[in-house]
Every structure is written in structure tokens, then in C-alpha cells.
């Protein structure tokens, strides 16, 4: 992966496309968790890919490529959310309903719906994307203890929801 990143930084378009392909599922999960809408997630991912391509030469440490990529994605998602806050009434965000093809994906989305919105992204970054707590704190620009607290509270909300069923 490191060699692929270095080739992309040097201008190899095929290497860049391979990197985007390898990270596409991670980008989708993060964008979908923030935006809760497939169309907006696709827009955020497209903007992220373009931005990464244009600014790949600014990547200082190739070993943090995925962190850099996800940070750009989160910024694009937040830009879309700000747009909706300006254009729509509070809480009114367009929702696209689509049927999921896999039971695991359905169960994961159900689990995410059990927790408060502010905990969802932390869960995805920690459990699905494998980021460490300090990396999540840096990505989301929050204190390490805040990330730990959000993970603990999310786990507790999930546990309580399952106990009530």
C-alpha cells in the first residue's frame, strides 16, 4: 500500500485510481453515517476524490494517507450538512430510501439507529475502519477522552436497546 501511495504522489494516475478503489467502501461508510443519504454520500465522495487528486502533492506523510483522505471526506460531508441547514428547515434533510441487499448491512444500520447521531461516526471509524482512538480524535478534532466517552456511551445505548427488546 505504501508503494502505491508513493506512486500516486509522484503522479501515477493508475496508482491513484487503485487507492480510491481500495478506500471506496470506507469512504461510503463514513459519508453515509454522516449524511444518512446515498445521493449526498456519493456527492461527498466525488468531491473528496477530486480534492485528493488535486492536492495529493500536499500529503506530508504517506503512512497517514487514509487518515488524510477521511478528514477531507468529513469536511466535504460537513459542507453538505451546512448547505442543508441554510436551505432547509431544521431537521428537514432529504432522505432516499433504498432496500439493502445484505442482512449484515441491514443489521449494522439498525444498530447505528439505536445510538445518538453524535456517536455514529465514532463507531464507524473505530469498529469498521479500524482507526485508533487518537487517530479518531485527530480526524474529528476532539479530545481523546471525548472519543473514549462517546464510544462507551454508544456501547451502553446499544446494550440498553437490546436489553429492552
Amino acid at each position: 500500500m505504501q508503494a502505491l501511495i508513493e506512486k500516486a504522489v509522484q503522479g501515477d494516475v493508475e496508482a491513484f485510481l487503485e487507492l480510491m478503489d481500495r478506500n471506496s467502501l470506507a469512504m461510503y461508510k463514513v459519508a453515509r453515517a454522516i449524511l444518512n443519504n446515498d445521493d449526498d454520500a456519493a456527492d461527498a465522495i466525488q468531491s473528496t476524490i477530486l480534492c485528493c487528486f488535486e492536492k495529493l502533492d500536499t500529503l506530508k506523510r504517506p503512512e497517514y494517507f487514509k487518515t488524510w483522505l477521511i478528514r477531507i471526506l468529513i469536511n466535504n460531508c460537513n459542507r453538505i450538512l451546512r448547505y442543508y441547514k441554510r436551505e432547509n428547515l431544521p431537521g428537514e434533510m432529504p432522505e432516499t430510501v433504498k432496500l439493502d441487499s445484505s442482512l449484515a448491512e441491514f443489521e449494522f444500520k439498525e444498530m447505528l439507529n439505536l445510538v445518538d447521531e453524535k456517536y455514529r461516526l465514532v463507531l464507524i471509524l473505530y469498529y469498521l475502519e479500524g482507526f485508533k482512538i487518537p487517530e479518531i480524535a485527530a480526524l474529528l478534532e476532539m479530545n481523546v477522552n471525548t472519543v473514549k466517552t462517546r464510544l462507551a456511551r454508544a456501547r451502553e445505548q446499544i446494550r440498553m436497546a437490546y436489553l429492552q427488546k
Side-chain angles (χ1 to χ4, degrees):
M1 184 79 137
Q2 188 77 17
L4 193 61
I5 295 168
E6 289 172 8
K7 286 171 79 175
V9 169
Q10 293 170 359
D12 186 334
V13 176
E14 290 300 319
F16 178 79
L17 292 175
E18 177 66 23
L19 280 172
M20 292 302 106
D21 189 47
R22 288 186 184 186
N23 288 287
S24 63
L25 184 58
M27 288 190 295
Y28 173 75
K29 288 175 185 176
V30 170
R32 187 72 166 86
I34 295 171
L35 298 170
N36 205 24
N37 177 301
D38 282 334
D39 293 332
D40 291 333
D43 288 345
I45 291 168
Q46 184 177 11
S47 296
T48 299
I49 291 170
L50 180 61
C51 182
C52 286
F53 184 74
E54 291 172 344
K55 297 183 180 192
L56 195 57
D57 60 329
T58 66
L59 178 64
K60 291 177 178 70
R61 299 184 62 189
E63 63 269 21
Y64 292 117
F65 173 78
K66 188 171 181 181
T67 304
W68 178 75
L69 173 74
I70 298 298
R71 180 72 248 168
I72 292 171
L73 177 64
I74 290 169
N75 289 340
N76 282 323
C77 290
N78 288 336
R79 180 186 46 76
I80 290 170
L81 288 175
R82 281 191 303 274
Y83 170 79
Y84 281 121
K85 283 182 182 177
R86 279 194 317 266
E87 297 296 318
N88 296 325
L89 296 173
E92 183 183 320
M93 186 149 163
E95 179 77 33
T96 304
V97 178
K98 292 188 178 180
L99 296 176
D100 293 324
S101 59
S102 95
L103 182 59
E105 187 176 333
F106 174 76
E107 289 174 346
F108 176 73
K109 286 181 181 177
E110 284 294 310
M111 183 202 65
L112 284 179
N113 288 331
L114 297 175
V115 299
D116 292 342
E117 190 173 325
K118 66 182 177 180
Y119 304 138
R120 289 181 194 149
L121 184 56
V122 173
L123 285 173
I124 288 172
L125 292 172
Y126 186 77
Y127 287 109
L128 291 179
E129 299 309 317
F131 284 103
K132 293 175 177 43
I133 290 174
E135 293 172 326
I136 296 170
L139 269 172
L140 301 179
E141 299 173 347
M142 43 174 81
N143 187 296
V144 169
N145 290 328
T146 304
V147 174
K148 289 178 183 178
T149 301
R150 287 188 179 188
L151 279 171
R153 288 182 181 163
R155 291 180 196 123
E156 183 62 19
Q157 282 186 359
I158 292 167
R159 189 179 76 74
M160 294 305 291
Y162 278 112
L163 287 176
Q164 292 175 355
K165 287 186 175 184

